[in-house]
Amino acid sequence: MGNTFIIGMDMSFLDEIETFGGKYEEDGQEGDALRIMKNNGVNAIRLRIWNEPEGGFCNLERTLLMAKRIKELDMHFLLDFHYSDKWADPANQWKPKAWADSSFEVLNDQVFNYTYFVLSELKGQGTVPDMVQIGNEITPGMLWDDGKVDGEFDTEEQWAKFATLVKSGIVAAKAVDPTIHIMIHIDRGGDLEASRRFFEKFAEHGVEYDTIGLSFYPWWHGSLDDLSRNLSELAGQFDKDINVVETAYPWTLDAAEGRSFIVEREEQLHPGYPATVQGQADYLLDLMTIIKKAAGPRGVGFYWWEPAWIPSREEWSVGHRNNWSNLTLFDYDGRKLPALTALK
């Protein structure tokens, strides 16, 4: 992206939403959600990819289709490898079923081969990602237990194995296209101590990457002041680009009957930012300012997580109801909210 600040959106659920009838509106007119995003200043889209998800979305076949749409709009494309058949996050870093019984040596080869194959398929249709994540929120490692590094697994031997797996993904990505940028993504946006220790470990083990990715949700990761301090310190110590690659904030706490949210109580909110359409817009604008000021030229942007996940279905391919629809940038009926307009 050069000197362009990344204004990004994780739109991984969009394919499923559209398949089952979800619609989006801007100024009273129905439109394509990706086009609406671009109209409002968004310049980058993030997609997750699962190996063999049971629900049939976020796999390679569907990713190829979505990648074409992203590139047709000339938007920056970030692909997020989970290396799992389902969610990978600090509580879940489970191997794909097809890799479950592999030895470490075979597993390492599978990481390389899978990464290489996916990116080769994308390159073959002219949609190679501009950036890839080797793992998603990998603070406790990935591909458990071989690459696990938390709790009793927090040993030098395990960190070496974890780093080896990550390096295999990086080498594969660079083998497909050496211009692909590499992001390493953890979840500790407001936790300086944990963030510093993680990236110091990767430095010790010679993991080469371009961008630090952080998740920052105030109800889990602290205050904007915590984020600011973390961004400033990490930028100074590691001399890497930094992207707040996951964030969100509620526009309401009012749920329809039978609906529950991850963020549903006043005490989960950040002081100074009520759960209103204006509070959400203020949070977003202040977040952008903090990234630019705290990390300086190394603060390269952010991604809002699932801004289009409207409640257009009762049950989703991931096996649960939508608990995110008050953290979107569209209302329950798919109408654009003021925070999205504020990006311009």
Side-chain angles (χ1 to χ4, degrees), residues 308-325:
W309 192 12
I310 59 175
S312 55
R313 296 188 73 188
E314 286 297 317
E315 297 290 336
W316 295 79
S317 63
V318 292
H320 60 71
R321 293 182 173 232
N322 181 340
N323 55 15
W324 201 258
S325 53

Side-chain angles (χ1 to χ4, degrees), residues 133-161:
Q133 286 180 222
I134 305 301
N136 184 76
E137 294 189 329
I138 57 173
T139 317
M142 68 182 195
L143 294 163
W144 289 349
D145 287 336
D146 291 78
K148 192 171 187 177
V149 292
D150 69 342
E152 64 183 296
F153 292 88
D154 187 1
T155 66
E156 286 305 312
E157 180 183 1
Q158 284 297 118
W159 276 96
K161 292 172 70 176

Side-chain angles (χ1 to χ4, degrees), residues 35 82 85 109 143 159 171 175 179 201 235 314 322:
R35 174 66 66 178
H82 281 229
D85 295 332
D109 288 342
L143 294 163
W159 276 96
V171 171
T179 69
K201 284 290 187 182
E314 286 297 317
N322 181 340

